[in-house]
């Protein structure tokens, strides 16, 4: 049986946040749009994001919160489609939301509302979806000619399990490698390679840290504990919570730091940010306090953490008056500058994003179109632009999708 050929102006591979945003805006411009995805459902990552409530943007989103080989690349899209424009769309759909902290906006009820909103907007713009569709082959048709440029002839033919599709613009929005069990693949990178585009090496990010066996042993006793801290990695510092796990460190501070970490780097943790532990102990000493350091420290930190830190770095059981100021100062320095050497990050099974991706040198920052292959666009997480934790990655998906949607 031969399958018929479907012709559209714009074919978008991947019906996640970036793909749907592009579909809405291309459709609104009167383009015929088809979104193809191998998953059963659209927006799978949106549904699991933000603990089911989707941290859909950040009110303070700016280029400073993104990591890329070219930190300037994201500026154009973020400036032309700022977070307030997305917030207006959310409001126009009557979706209730709140700021959790640090400009992070979450749905009051469910991430499903964001998916429904995007689906409604896609439908209104006339975009169609083909789900559970395997993409088998992509072929570039002909060489550049006036007819191709004018959109009179298709530029790409895509073979899928549902039939052939020919399109003028091909948009790759297949995301990164994180959470393979909900359908993440490296497909977008393969397409980039097929067309000779460079890739920036990829790594799991926003996933926290693991430690070697010996490092883990010193931390396992702390599993389940959460503390406020500042964590610094490669000169970038975050004040957030740190959660100790059986295999290492999770929670917002390690997730943020993991985005900036490279193999071999160490991280530095201040367990009492904004306080001066040495001054505090000296005050106790001067006032004649006779407790052990371990017991006093548990007034500042959870007892399990205070115990473990003392076991590892201050085993003295002497009462405070007998403790030397020099020894105390060194221990307090450690509390404020606890240096750890992770062996790795947790990996794609838990990572919120993939760092790296299609090299931004290959793309126009205004249209996300390939400089080498006219009509081929890459948007969203597949591109080497990765945001911090806190709604920044969706903002990039919306902004890059919108930018391509203006021109495809
Ligand atoms: C657990 C978790 C929580 C997160 N929470 C947040 C948050 O609260 N705020 C935030 O800003 N960011 C969050 N993120 C990151 C955010 O989800 C992504 O950065 C964003 O979804 C990227 O959008 P995208 O459209 O580029 O890719 P995706 O949303 O990943 O969409 C890609 C689509 O392509 C499809 N696809 C992949 N391969 C193929 C293939 N071979 N054939 C056909 N289709 C394919 C997939 O099925 C998917 O539908 C979270 C991520 C995770 C994993």
């Amino acid at each position: 049986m031969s399958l018929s050929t479907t012709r559209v102006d714009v074919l978008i591979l991947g019906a996640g946040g970036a793909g749907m945003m592009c579909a809405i805006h291309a459709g609104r411009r009167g383009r015929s749009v088809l979104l193809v995805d191998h998953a059963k459902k659209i927006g799978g990552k949106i549904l699991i994001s933000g603990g089911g409530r989707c941290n859909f943007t950040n009110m303070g989103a700016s280029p400073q919160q993104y990591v890329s080989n070219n930190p300037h690349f994201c500026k154009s899209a973020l400036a032309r489609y700022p977070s307030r424009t997305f917030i207006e769309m959310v409001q126009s759909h009557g979706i209730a939301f709140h700021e959790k902290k640090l400009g992070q906006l979450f749905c009051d009820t469910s991430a499903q509302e964001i998916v429904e909103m995007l689906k409604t907007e896609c439908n209104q713009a006339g975009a169609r979806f083909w789900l559970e569709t395997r993409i088998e082959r992509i072929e570039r048709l002909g060489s550049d000619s006036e007819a191709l440029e004018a959109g009179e002839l298709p530029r790409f033919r895509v073979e899928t399990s549902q039939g052939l599709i020919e399109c003028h613009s091909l948009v790759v929005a297949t995301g990164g490698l994180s959470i393979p069990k909900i359908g993440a693949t490296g497909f977008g990178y393969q397409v980039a390679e097929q067309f000779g585009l460079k890739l920036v090496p990829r790594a799991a990010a926003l996933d926290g840290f693991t430690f070697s066996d010996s490092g883990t042993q010193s931390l396992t006793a702390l599993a389940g504990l959460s503390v406020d801290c500042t964590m610094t990695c490669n000169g970038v510092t975050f004040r957030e919570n740190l959660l100790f796990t059986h295999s290492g460190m999770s929670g917002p501070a390690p997730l943020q730091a993991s985005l900036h970490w490279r193999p071999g780097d160490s991280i530095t943790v201040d367990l009492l940010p904004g306080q001066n532990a040495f001054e505090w102990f000296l005050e106790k000493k001067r006032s004649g306090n006779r407790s052990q350091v371990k017991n006093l420290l548990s007034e500042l930190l959870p007892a399990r953490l205070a115990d473990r830190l003392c076991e590892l770095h201050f085993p003295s059981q002497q009462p405070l008056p007998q403790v030397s100021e020099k020894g105390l100062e060194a221990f307090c320095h450690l509390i404020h500058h606890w240096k750890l050497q992770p062996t790795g990050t947790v990996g794609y099974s838990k990572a919120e994003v993939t760092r790296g991706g299609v090299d931004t040198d290959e793309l126009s920052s205004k249209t996300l179109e390939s400089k080498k292959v006219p009509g081929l666009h890459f948007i969203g997480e597949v591109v080497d632009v990765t945001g911090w934790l806190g709604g920044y990655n969706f903002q990039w998906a919306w902004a890059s999708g919108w930018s391509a949607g203006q021109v495809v």
Side-chain angles (χ1 to χ4, degrees):
M1 188 185 79
S2 76
L3 295 166
S4 60
T5 301
T6 303
R7 260 210 192 175
V8 286
D9 294 325
V10 184
L11 172 61
I12 301 173
L13 308 180
M20 286 194 275
M21 197 63 171
C22 179
I24 293 164
H25 289 279
R28 283 187 193 169
R29 289 176 37 247
R31 313 291 281 157
S32 58
V33 181
L34 176 61
L35 288 130
V36 170
D37 202 298
H38 67 168
K40 275 195 184 127
K41 288 190 287 198
I42 59 169
K45 278 217 182 131
I46 300 173
L47 292 173
I48 61 163
S49 68
R53 294 209 171 157
C54 186
N55 177 193
F56 56 80
T57 193
N58 192 298
M59 292 190 290
S62 75
Q64 279 81 50
Q65 296 95 19
Y66 293 86
V67 170
S68 168
N69 267 6
N70 176 1
H72 303 291
F73 182 82
C74 61
K75 285 182 179 169
S76 167
L78 292 173
R80 294 166 72 219
Y81 191 87
S83 56
R84 68 167 181 280
T85 315
F86 190 78
I87 297 167
E88 280 161 16
M89 175 153 74
V90 171
Q91 285 169 327
S92 74
H93 282 254
I95 298 171
F97 62 89
H98 61 278
E99 180 187 357
K100 197 166 169 191
K101 59 175 181 177
L102 307 168
Q104 302 167 5
L105 300 186
F106 285 75
C107 297
D108 284 358
T109 314
S110 163
Q112 181 74 48
E113 293 179 313
I114 298 292
V115 175
E116 285 304 323
M117 172 187 83
L118 295 169
K119 189 174 161 193
T120 304
E121 292 279 346
C122 281
N123 291 338
Q124 283 170 1
R128 289 179 294 149
F129 293 93
W130 285 8
L131 299 181
E132 296 183 82
T133 304
R134 231 179 21 258
I135 302 157
E136 281 157 359
R137 212 163 79 90
I138 299 176
E139 191 188 343
R140 191 178 173 197
L141 300 174
S143 54
D144 297 332
S145 70
E146 270 178 31
L148 278 173
E149 283 311 308
E152 288 154 16
L153 289 174
R155 292 196 280 205
F156 300 94
R157 180 180 295 134
V158 178
E159 229 174 279
T160 77
S161 53
Q162 309 257 20
L164 282 178
I165 308 164
E166 290 181 348
C167 61
H168 186 66
S169 297
L170 180 64
V171 183
V172 182
T174 45
L177 293 162
S178 48
I179 322 285
K181 72 171 184 235
I182 65 156
T185 69
F187 182 78
Y189 311 124
Q190 287 167 31
V191 179
E193 277 174 335
Q194 175 186 339
F195 288 102
L197 274 62
K198 282 182 293 174
L199 294 172
V200 172
R202 283 130 288 153
L206 299 183
D207 54 344
F209 295 113
T210 54
F211 292 87
S212 66
D213 284 350
S214 55
T216 309
Q217 272 160 25
S218 56
L219 299 175
T220 31
L222 304 173
L225 265 185
S226 171
V227 286
D228 174 32
C229 76
T230 61
M231 190 173 280
T232 304
C233 183
N234 272 323
V236 189
T237 300
F238 297 94
R239 179 156 184 180
E240 289 267 18
N241 264 19
L242 150 62
L243 172 70
F244 293 94
T245 67
H246 287 283
S247 55
M249 289 179 172
S250 183
L255 260 66
Q256 297 281 31
S258 67
L259 177 58
H260 302 275
W261 185 86
R262 301 291 182 277
D265 288 343
S266 56
I267 54 170
T268 307
V269 185
D270 183 349
L271 291 165
L272 288 172
Q275 299 183 59
N276 185 328
F278 184 49
E279 282 298 322
W280 187 85
F281 275 109
L282 281 186
E283 195 55 46
K284 296 277 173 196
K285 200 168 155 72
R286 284 183 198 125
S287 65
N289 191 304
R290 298 194 53 78
S291 305
Q292 283 181 26
V293 167
K294 179 171 83 169
N295 297 335
L296 279 173
L297 188 58
S298 63
E299 290 179 25
L300 300 176
L301 290 172
R304 255 198 300 156
L305 178 56
D307 284 0
R308 194 69 187 127
L309 282 174
C310 288
E311 258 167 51
L312 292 170
H313 303 289
F314 200 81
S316 158
Q317 306 217 340
Q318 290 176 319
L320 194 58
Q322 272 136 60
V323 169
S324 82
E325 282 192 15
K326 215 170 153 207
L328 202 52
E329 190 174 15
F331 182 52
C332 290
H333 185 267
L334 180 132
I335 292 169
H336 288 295
H337 305 88
W338 192 25
K339 205 167 172 183
L340 295 144
Q341 181 101 44
T343 39
T345 70
V346 173
Y348 289 115
S349 63
K350 292 267 166 64
E352 290 211 359
V353 281
T354 302
R355 194 183 63 218
V358 177
D359 195 322
T360 56
D361 277 357
E362 301 281 5
L363 307 173
S364 149
S365 62
K366 195 165 172 216
T367 62
L368 286 298
E369 185 175 16
S370 159
K371 292 175 185 168
K372 285 184 189 135
V373 186
L376 179 65
H377 298 248
F378 289 83
I379 56 173
E381 197 179 317
V382 73
V383 179
D384 172 36
V385 173
T386 313
W388 293 1
L389 187 75
Y392 302 105
N393 284 298
F394 278 132
Q395 186 54 36
W396 170 247
W398 317 136
S400 57
W402 179 90
S403 297
Q406 304 308 303
V407 296
V408 285

